[in-house]
Amino acid sequence: MGWCCSGICRALALLALLFPSRERGCLGLNPSSGDLEKSPHSDPDPWEALHRHKRSWVWNQFFVLEEYTGNEPLYVGKLHSDVDKGDGKVKYVLTGEGSSSIFTIDENTGDIHATKRLDREAQSYYTLAAQAVDRITNIPVEPRSEFVVKVQDINDNEPKFLDGPYLAEVPEMSPLGTMVVQVAATDADDPTYGNSARVIYSIVHGQPYFSVEPKTGVIRTALPNMDRETRDQYVLVIQAKDMVGQMGGLSGTTSVTVTLTDVNDNPPHFTHKNYQYTVLESLPVQSVVARIKAADADIGSNAEMDYRLMDGDGPGMFNITTDENTQDGVVILLKPLDFETKSSYFLRIEATNRNIDSDFLSSGPFSDTTSVKVTVEDVNEPPVFSTPLSKMVVSEDAKAGTSIGRVSAHDPDNSNNGIRYSIDRNTDLERFFNVDALSGVISTAKPLDREANMVHNLTILAIESQDPVQIGKGIALITVLDINDNAPVFAIDYETLLCENARTGQVIQTISAVDRDEPLSGHRFYFALAAPVAGNPNFTLRDNKDNTASILTKRSGFRRREQPVYRLPVLIVDSGSPALSSTNTLSVRVCDCDSDGVALSCGAVAYTATGLSTGALVAILGCIITLLVMVLLIVTMRRRRKEPLILEEERDIRENIVRYDDEGGGEEDTEAFDMVTLRNLNIIRDPNVRRDVTPDTPTFFHYPSTARPPYKALPDNVVFREFIWERLKDADVDPSAPPYDSLQTYAFEGSGSVAESLSSLESLSTDSDQNYDYLSNWGPRFKKLADLYGNSDGTSVFS
């Protein structure tokens, strides 16, 4: 059994008769294989084989035309099975891509139709599956088989330039047929069917300059020697047409912009054969004298050029370079101009292309020449020194007014005006030198010191007498020659430490010297100990003959307690003529050192207690300061207290001395003074007290001043008052007394007291047998009491 379309079924039946088979023809259906099988109970019949055939459920492809625009569904093809006898028992079923939306099948006849417009460029084929089933039982009578419906192409797409529009470059002057660029167009139609996708290229716009190859799309030059300087850009229109360019084919276009690139096919050219420039003779060196330019029609690197001076007056006096930005030739002055020497110059300049293309050498030389005349104008110039730099020397010990050298300047103009010389004092602030205004002779103005300034750089001014604005400048370099006027000294401040355990002959210090002078043969110093210590038993000096000396010990057993510091005078002598010397003191400190010779402590040994911490020392210092402040306050307060009225050669100090041998005594024993003592005193006046001023204070008893009665002859109350007024008067006339009054009050019993005086001071006038010699042992403060109550013959308290 097989599918039939048109006469295919009959052809398959004929093939089945030619090839016998055990299988049955259209009599029965094998659901598993799709073949008709012979009944197992029938006998073999050789003629039966003529009716059997091999059936295959295999289909190739159907074709359907794309873009069908008819009103009825498009017929695709017909499917038919040998099982189908036309009685309607077989039903055809179609499945696969678009089986329901695009393709339909008549289940009775097997006719397939396309119900929609197909686009091959969207989908070129569809895979479908066909099956024949029993209409009643839906049991397949044929196995499922796939086939393809291919969409047949029509020319419905024009060629397109996907990379357009194009930009291309080609060198100018290119030979005929030079390739410019290749364009390519694509056609969406089927390239394997017909000519719908076969494209032919042609040029629509751009002739006769360019051409295009019809099949490849290669664009080439169609004219030789196209000149960029005439026209540098072309716009081409290229067309691509399918159907091999035949009538009815579709086409597409694109634009190609072709730019001609530059080549060096044009030489430089000066627009003028002669140029003239005028400059002042005062133009500074390296200034621009002129700018010239050679024209070149080329661009970029092809227009770059180099300039050079060929001959004439230019070489050595002028130079020419290329301005890389503008390609100008820049003429530069190399030497100063002098109108009086030469007033004009003639230059010949050549301009040459820097990058020459060998393909165009036949076009001629790629260079050009021109002439330049430079005219120099005269200006009034300042004086010029014959030697811009004058070197002079002078000795350090030259006296003021010593001539050193001479400078000379002249007026370069034809007028040759007179010159006056002076020194720019900004270069000689201390005015060490003078210059003669007319002759230019330089001399010293004050003594020089090479060690302070070894070289003097003076600026000498030359001024025109007729035009002081014109000033020339020259340099006088004066070198001061050295003399031996500085004695050598220690190179540094040496700190020499000597260990107590130093051995005899040990080097404790190596010294060297410096000298501000600089002799031509170099320094040579000699060292020795000064005469006072040359033979000392402690140290010796050894001259090392290399401008150094070593200090050595002559003994051991140094002790800080004995002498903490030694001072050695060292004599240093230089080798000048005359030789100078100096004595430098080297201090050697004795130190306590460890076993490695490292100093631990140096100098004098402190005998105070050690081991106090820093905090303790600070606390002690604070206590000391506090005590000092308290003492100062006490002294100040004591000075403000009242001074006693009775003054003696030394301060008259009176104190209460209370001594009790038994109980009692009462408050009378604490009286400050006993009037018995006052009665018995005849005061010896202090000869140092001033008596030239008499106070205005009156006395109660008027008596001549030349003959005053003794105090003991007066009544008690009068004695007391007179005593007080006397002391007050002394205080008023005393220039050393403080500027405030002192009032002292004395209380006493008087002579009428029943108890009389109980004071022990009264024993001075009584026959007391008490011994007061022990007062002499109490010190100087009790000397007065000891004199009063001792065995001495003191007769007065104030003695």
Side-chain angles (χ1 to χ4, degrees):
M1 181 180 178
W3 293 100
C4 296
C5 180
S6 302
I8 298 177
C9 186
R10 290 189 293 274
L12 292 177
L14 180 58
L15 289 176
L17 294 175
L18 295 177
F19 298 96
S21 175
R22 295 181 57 186
E23 300 175 350
R24 293 174 294 175
C26 299
L27 303 177
L29 177 63
N30 188 341
S32 61
S33 63
D35 296 334
L36 296 175
E37 295 183 349
K38 182 182 178 181
S39 174
H41 303 288
S42 61
D43 296 329
D45 185 356
W47 295 99
E48 189 179 8
L50 296 177
H51 302 285
R52 298 175 181 174
H53 57 272
K54 181 77 171 178
R55 296 185 307 276
S56 177
W57 190 248
V58 178
W59 295 94
N60 291 325
Q61 57 189 7
F62 294 107
F63 293 91
V64 62
L65 193 65
E66 71 167 330
E67 303 295 345
Y68 173 72
T69 58
N71 295 327
E72 298 295 332
L74 179 62
Y75 179 75
V76 177
K78 184 180 182 61
L79 299 179
H80 184 72
S81 174
D82 292 343
V83 180
D84 186 4
K85 301 303 181 181
D87 53 5
K89 293 182 178 181
V90 177
K91 182 175 66 173
Y92 297 95
V93 179
L94 185 66
T95 59
E97 294 180 303
S99 59
S100 59
S101 58
I102 298 176
F103 300 99
T104 61
I105 188 171
D106 190 330
E107 62 179 13
N108 296 320
T109 64
D111 293 332
I112 302 175
H113 292 81
T115 61
K116 290 185 178 180
R117 183 178 177 179
L118 301 180
D119 186 2
R120 189 201 66 84
E121 288 71 39
Q123 187 167 346
S124 60
Y125 65 92
Y126 296 86
T127 301
L128 299 172
Q131 195 171 25
V133 298
D134 186 280
R135 185 179 296 274
I136 299 174
T137 62
N138 283 332
I139 297 175
V141 297
E142 290 286 358
R144 185 177 182 273
S145 180
E146 290 184 352
F147 63 96
V148 174
V149 177
K150 187 173 183 181
V151 182
Q152 190 172 3
D153 182 48
I154 65 171
N155 189 18
D156 60 341
N157 290 278
E158 73 277 5
K160 293 182 179 180
F161 292 91
L162 301 180
D163 297 329
Y166 293 86
L167 297 176
E169 293 181 348
V170 64
E172 65 172 332
M173 297 297 181
S174 296
L176 179 66
T178 302
M179 178 180 175
V180 179
V181 69
Q182 183 177 15
V183 297
T186 60
D187 195 318
D189 294 325
D190 189 357
T192 63
Y193 179 75
N195 296 323
S196 298
R198 295 181 63 184
V199 178
I200 295 298
Y201 300 95
S202 62
I203 184 167
V204 177
H205 179 74
Q207 294 174 333
Y209 306 103
F210 299 93
S211 63
V212 60
E213 294 181 359
K215 294 183 179 182
T216 62
V218 174
I219 300 175
R220 299 182 184 275
T221 57
L223 290 178
N225 302 326
M226 286 190 292
D227 190 5
R228 184 201 65 83
E229 288 72 34
T230 303
R231 182 178 178 182
D232 62 349
Q233 193 173 82
Y234 299 84
V235 179
L236 313 180
V237 177
I238 305 299
Q239 182 187 67
K241 189 173 184 181
D242 58 13
M243 298 298 291
V244 200
Q246 297 176 1
M247 292 293 292
L250 302 178
S251 65
T253 60
T254 187
S255 65
V256 179
T257 302
V258 180
T259 301
L260 297 183
T261 59
D262 186 56
V263 297
N264 192 6
D265 59 338
N266 294 281
H269 176 70
F270 286 104
T271 57
H272 301 283
K273 289 301 179 181
N274 295 286
Y275 296 87
Q276 289 189 358
Y277 295 92
T278 301
V279 295
L280 297 175
E281 67 171 331
S282 59
L283 185 69
V285 175
Q286 297 299 323
S287 297
V288 176
V289 176
R291 298 178 74 97
I292 61 176
K293 184 176 182 179
D296 194 325
D298 297 322
I299 59 174
S301 61
N302 296 318
E304 294 177 354
M305 61 190 72
D306 295 320
Y307 297 87
R308 71 181 182 94
L309 296 176
M310 297 180 62
D311 50 21
D313 304 324
M317 192 70 185
F318 301 93
N319 186 28
I320 187 168
T321 60
T322 302
D323 187 334
E324 297 298 335
N325 295 325
T326 62
Q327 295 301 308
D328 290 347
V330 182
V331 181
I332 299 175
L333 180 65
L334 295 181
K335 295 180 180 179
L337 299 173
D338 188 5
F339 173 81
E340 290 73 23
T341 304
K342 191 174 181 62
S343 61
S344 64
Y345 296 87
F346 292 92
L347 313 178
R348 188 167 179 80
I349 298 174
E350 180 186 43
T352 305
N353 272 145
R354 187 176 299 171
N355 305 305
I356 299 176
D357 193 337
S358 59
D359 295 337
F360 301 98
L361 288 176
S362 59
S363 300
F366 285 83
S367 63
D368 194 15
T369 59
T370 189
S371 297
V372 177
K373 180 181 179 181
V374 179
T375 302
V376 181
E377 289 187 352
D378 186 29
V379 295
N380 189 11
E381 300 174 90
V384 178
F385 282 86
S386 57
T387 303
L389 177 62
S390 301
K391 296 184 178 180
M392 307 175 185
V393 294
V394 62
S395 178
E396 185 179 6
D397 59 348
K399 304 297 183 181
T402 302
S403 297
I404 302 173
R406 182 176 181 272
V407 295
S408 176
H410 67 279
D411 185 5
D413 299 320
N414 295 330
S415 59
N416 195 16
N417 293 320
I419 305 297
R420 295 183 63 85
Y421 301 94
S422 64
I423 296 177
D424 184 356
R425 289 305 175 182
N426 290 324
T427 61
D428 185 27
L429 296 176
E430 299 184 9
R431 297 181 177 270
F432 284 108
F433 304 95
N434 289 326
V435 62
D436 188 271
L438 299 178
S439 64
V441 174
I442 299 176
S443 59
T444 59
K446 59 173 65 173
L448 305 176
D449 185 4
R450 187 202 69 86
E451 288 71 37
N453 195 349
M454 184 172 62
V455 177
H456 296 268
N457 191 344
L458 305 182
T459 298
I460 308 300
L461 305 179
I463 307 172
E464 285 189 15
S465 301
Q466 300 299 326
D467 187 4
V469 177
Q470 302 299 325
I471 301 175
K473 293 184 179 181
I475 302 298
L477 195 65
I478 302 175
T479 302
V480 182
L481 300 179
D482 184 43
I483 63 171
N484 190 26
D485 59 343
N486 290 278
V489 295
F490 278 157
I492 60 173
D493 293 333
Y494 292 99
E495 182 181 5
T496 305
L497 304 180
L498 173 63
C499 293
E500 290 182 325
N501 56 0
R503 302 183 304 276
T504 303
Q506 180 176 339
V507 176
I508 61 173
Q509 185 67 65
T510 299
I511 59 176
S512 61
V514 292
D515 194 327
R516 296 179 61 189
D517 298 319
E518 293 183 357
L520 297 177
S521 58
H523 290 290
R524 175 66 179 94
F525 300 120
Y526 304 93
F527 299 87
L529 291 179
V533 297
N536 76 90
N538 300 315
F539 305 97
T540 184
L541 183 143
R542 181 182 67 200
D543 194 335
N544 296 327
K545 309 299 183 182
D546 59 354
N547 289 343
T548 64
S550 300
I551 307 297
L552 297 85
T553 59
K554 294 176 65 175
R555 66 179 180 87
S556 60
F558 291 92
R559 296 292 180 269
R560 288 186 298 159
R561 295 181 181 276
E562 298 174 359
Q563 185 170 348
V565 179
Y566 294 87
R567 304 189 184 279
L568 296 179
V570 179
L571 178 66
I572 308 176
V573 184
D574 62 17
S575 57
S577 179
L580 296 180
S581 63
S582 67
T583 301
N584 301 263
T585 301
L586 180 69
S587 297
V588 181
R589 299 172 60 193
V590 183
C591 302
D592 180 21
C593 303
D594 58 13
S595 59
D596 296 329
V598 178
L600 301 178
S601 58
C602 303
V605 179
Y607 291 95
T608 58
T610 60
L612 292 178
S613 63
T614 304
L617 293 176
V618 172
I620 294 174
L621 182 61
C623 293
I624 294 174
I625 294 175
T626 303
L627 291 176
L628 291 176
V629 172
M630 294 179 64
V631 170
L632 291 176
L633 291 175
I634 293 174
V635 171
T636 304
M637 295 300 295
R638 288 179 61 88
R639 288 182 179 178
R640 293 178 179 272
R641 293 179 60 186
K642 294 178 295 183
E643 294 287 342
L645 297 179
I646 302 175
L647 301 176
E648 300 295 336
E649 295 180 1
E650 298 179 4
R651 188 173 182 83
D652 189 6
I653 300 174
R654 300 193 178 191
E655 299 182 7
N656 285 339
I657 301 176
V658 180
R659 179 171 178 176
Y660 297 99
D661 291 334
D662 51 8
E663 295 181 1
E667 61 183 4
E668 288 104 339
D669 289 337
T670 62
E671 291 290 340
F673 297 97
D674 192 333
M675 289 307 301
V676 176
T677 304
L678 293 176
R679 293 192 195 99
N680 296 309
L681 290 180
N682 287 324
I683 298 176
I684 300 176
R685 304 183 188 276
D686 188 351
N688 296 328
V689 177
R690 289 182 58 184
R691 298 298 180 182
D692 55 341
V693 179
T694 302
D696 297 333
T697 305
T699 59
F700 291 92
F701 290 87
H702 300 281
Y703 47 80
S705 59
T706 55
R708 290 196 179 199
Y711 286 118
K712 61 178 57 180
L714 298 176
D716 291 342
N717 56 347
V718 176
V719 169
F720 180 70
R721 291 186 178 89
E722 286 295 320
F723 177 81
I724 291 176
W725 288 117
E726 186 72 17
R727 291 306 180 200
L728 182 60
K729 183 183 68 174
D730 293 341
D732 290 337
V733 300
D734 187 4
S736 62
Y740 50 83
D741 294 333
S742 177
L743 178 62
Q744 298 188 28
T745 301
Y746 297 90
F748 57 94
E749 291 178 302
S751 57
S753 175
V754 178
E756 295 185 354
S757 177
L758 297 178
S759 173
S760 59
L761 295 177
E762 194 177 357
S763 59
L764 180 64
S765 60
T766 59
D767 297 330
S768 174
D769 57 355
Q770 189 173 357
N771 186 6
Y772 295 98
D773 291 340
Y774 60 85
L775 295 176
S776 299
N777 299 330
W778 288 9
R781 295 176 65 85
F782 295 92
K783 182 176 183 300
K784 297 295 183 180
L785 292 177
D787 293 341
L788 290 173
Y789 297 101
N791 292 329
S792 61
D793 296 334
T795 60
S796 176
V797 174
F798 306 101
S799 62

